Amino acid sequence: MRKSRSPRLRIHLLFLVVVALLLVFQPVYSNTVDDSKKLKSPLQDPEPIQFVENVLQENDSQDYCNPQGQIKDTCCDYRSVEEIQHDIFEKIQSLVKTKFFRFYKLNLWRECPFWNDDGLCMNRDCSVETTDEASLPDEWRQPALSAVQISPKGSLFQPFQTCQYKDQDFCLIEDESDADGVYVDLTDNPERFTGYAGPSSGRVWKAIYEENCFNIVDKMTEGCETCNNVMHADQSRGNNPLKAAESIAEATNDEFVKVPEDEAKFDRLLNDLAEDPDDGFGNSEEVCLEKRVYYRLISGLHSSISIHICDEYFNQATGTWGPNLDCFVNRIGSHPERLQNIYFTYALVMRAVTKLGNYLEGYTFCTGENNDDMSIKADVLDLINSARACPATFDETTMFQGPDAKSLKLEFRDHFRNVSRIMDCVGCEKCRLWGKIQTTGLGTALKVLFSYGENNLNPKRNPGLLERSEIVALFNTLNRLSESLQSIKKFRQLYHERTHQKVVIYIKLFFLCIG
């Protein structure tokens, strides 16, 4: 017969379990330091570290992300963005798998116009699988597209090769009649971790921020101890959170600093990775709305791409793809202004899509199959109507209104055109593919918002305002941003599981002791 535990032993075990539970929950209470009297930069509203912790904490009562309040430089809040994302997520996921939206033609091998590219990625995961044109609709094939653009003045007159941009364009548009272009099935080439990193990739982002962000990166991040400034990436480890993270990771032989299992240590980790605040409060010069919007757009794109890499990360130990919480916290969580800017970029792109609704209502979605054409249009309009049911996310009429509006708009446009050209300098084919698609998608959103009024967006009155490649890029960019917000929910669950592992074990021990 099995002997029962002695009462004294059970009491001792119960005492130890209770003490362990108190130690697990103790950091939640011991870490409540009043920071309300500390000097804060306006860029720290909401407080950055608290923002990241809120994002990763679950809210059992609602299916929202915990951060609340207005998203800077938009007319909506975080909760509204997550509501819209929740309503349209399955719809945009379905749309980008259709024939019209999943095939994209581009020139993958255009030379870098700014420097000699010597950092090509040779990994198998960097390569792109192209599609044979014979499997595509006749209207999309090279002979048909070339025939459309033959000039009545003869083959020697080729205006399409001498003019890369229209005045309304905010980016370099991929020409589907380009003989050097190839079609790519985007579903066969998902954006994920490829191993492309180091000086080559760093040079691309440094060029984008340093030379094409109106020289405001320092100004946008001053006084914010967690706002990692990409222009400081070459500094020593002493005052750079990315270098500090590398140092800690090297000490533990890990690729990333590991996210701790309790919240107090996580709070300390975020503070350890933070920069020292700048002494920039005395400068009262304010960055204008247009330049702030530009910076947040670029930062949001950068953040979204980083999340895609962390969400589709290759685990070399198991040989499987999946989400990597440590990657997410190291790349995004240690600089939460990037996380906030994902919401901003999503809000701006969503506004462009809803504004384009009337244009798309009269647009012909040509796939070679009439039934598919009608079905795709119905799905597009259904998505737009779902988004329109929510409050407006961005008000483009507040921009480019001052005395320098015209010159500022041209500078804004030309900077973003440069960013789209910098994508030709990316040394990884798959990264270049998705970089081109998403910069084209953002450029199309800017074109819709700032080049045309509501009355001009009519395909019958103004045919040819948008190329097919622009529409495909816009909706795929919306999908990538939507997937980033969806991934945040996934990382929130992973964080919850990691920080509550001990609690589950101790509760099981507790019931074992009293059983």
Side-chain angles (χ1 to χ4, degrees), residues 123-126 190-196 308-324 430 490:
N123 295 342
R124 181 182 63 181
D125 293 320
C126 287
E191 184 180 22
R192 55 172 36 163
F193 173 76
T194 64
Y196 176 62
H308 303 158
I309 291 171
C310 295
D311 189 40
E312 285 282 339
Y313 204 85
F314 184 70
N315 186 326
Q316 295 183 349
T318 63
T320 58
W321 297 90
N324 186 322
K430 190 170 291 181
K490 189 185 302 181

Side-chain angles (χ1 to χ4, degrees), residues 21-267:
L21 284 170
L22 289 173
L23 289 174
V24 169
F25 288 108
Q26 182 266 343
V28 176
Y29 301 100
S30 63
N31 200 47
T32 56
V33 179
D34 183 12
D35 293 331
S36 61
K37 295 183 180 179
K38 291 182 180 180
L39 184 62
K40 296 179 181 178
S41 162
L43 294 175
Q44 292 181 273
D45 180 25
E47 188 174 333
I49 289 177
Q50 186 62 49
F51 179 85
V52 176
E53 292 172 343
N54 286 346
V55 164
L56 288 173
Q57 289 170 354
E58 288 195 322
N59 185 344
D60 295 331
S61 62
Q62 303 177 90
D63 189 23
Y64 307 135
C65 183
N66 281 340
Q68 299 179 6
Q70 190 83 2
I71 302 174
K72 298 169 191 174
D73 298 323
T74 71
C75 50
C76 65
D77 57 21
Y78 293 101
R79 179 170 296 180
S80 297
V81 164
E82 287 218 343
E83 286 178 333
I84 296 173
Q85 188 271 344
H86 178 267
D87 289 343
I88 73 162
F89 182 66
E90 295 299 331
K91 296 176 181 180
I92 187 66
Q93 287 270 286
S94 177
L95 263 181
V96 296
K97 294 173 184 175
T98 63
K99 183 185 292 187
F100 183 87
F101 286 105
R102 81 172 197 257
F103 290 105
Y104 187 76
K105 188 173 184 179
L106 75 164
N107 186 339
L108 269 174
W109 305 286
R110 189 180 289 116
E111 290 187 7
C112 172
F114 301 108
W115 60 79
N116 293 326
D117 185 14
D118 54 358
L120 293 178
C121 174
M122 304 305 293
N123 295 342
R124 181 182 63 181
D125 293 320
C126 287
S127 62
V128 169
E129 181 181 341
T130 60
T131 299
D132 186 353
E133 280 195 12
S135 63
L136 299 175
D138 291 341
E139 295 87 347
W140 296 2
R141 298 180 193 177
Q142 181 64 37
L145 292 170
S146 299
V148 170
Q149 297 202 19
I150 292 177
S151 168
K153 295 188 178 182
S155 59
L156 296 178
F157 180 71
Q158 298 177 331
F160 301 103
Q161 295 184 6
T162 60
C163 181
Q164 291 183 308
Y165 303 101
K166 293 185 291 186
D167 287 341
Q168 297 85 356
D169 293 341
F170 279 74
C171 64
L172 179 66
I173 309 301
E174 294 291 343
D175 183 0
E176 291 194 329
S177 66
D178 184 357
D180 294 325
V182 292
Y183 274 103
V184 175
D185 185 339
L186 300 178
T187 61
D188 290 338
N189 296 275
E191 184 180 22
R192 55 172 36 163
F193 173 76
T194 64
Y196 176 62
S200 178
S201 62
R203 187 178 190 179
V204 169
W205 284 113
K206 188 174 175 65
I208 290 173
Y209 283 104
E210 192 173 58
E211 301 171 18
N212 293 282
C213 271
F214 295 95
N215 297 317
I216 63 167
V217 178
D218 283 311
K219 181 66 181 174
M220 287 293 291
T221 58
E222 69 180 4
C224 177
E225 72 268 14
T226 62
C227 297
N228 174 251
N229 186 335
V230 72
M231 290 171 65
H232 296 164
D234 295 330
Q235 289 181 353
S236 65
R237 286 177 176 166
N239 189 39
N240 185 280
L242 293 179
K243 296 297 182 182
E246 290 173 6
S247 180
I248 299 171
E250 286 172 5
T252 57
N253 295 320
D254 289 324
E255 189 171 3
F256 301 107
V257 181
K258 189 172 179 62
V259 175
E261 294 180 357
D262 68 68
E263 295 177 4
K265 290 182 180 178
F266 180 60
D267 183 85

Side-chain angles (χ1 to χ4, degrees), residues 114 165 212 413-423:
F114 301 108
Y165 303 101
N212 293 282
R413 183 200 67 184
D414 292 345
H415 275 314
F416 202 86
R417 284 180 177 180
N418 273 347
V419 171
S420 70
R421 293 301 307 275
I422 289 174
M423 292 300 115

Side-chain angles (χ1 to χ4, degrees), residues 74-77 80 84 347 351 354 387-388 390-395:
T74 71
C75 50
C76 65
D77 57 21
S80 297
I84 296 173
R351 166 56 188 154
T354 56
R388 282 176 170 173
C390 298
T393 55
F394 184 81
D395 183 6

Side-chain angles (χ1 to χ4, degrees), residues 499-515:
T499 56
H500 287 73
Q501 283 179 350
K502 289 182 179 179
V503 175
V504 172
I505 293 172
Y506 290 139
I507 289 175
K508 288 181 178 179
L509 285 173
F510 178 81
F511 284 108
L512 182 65
C513 291
I514 64 175

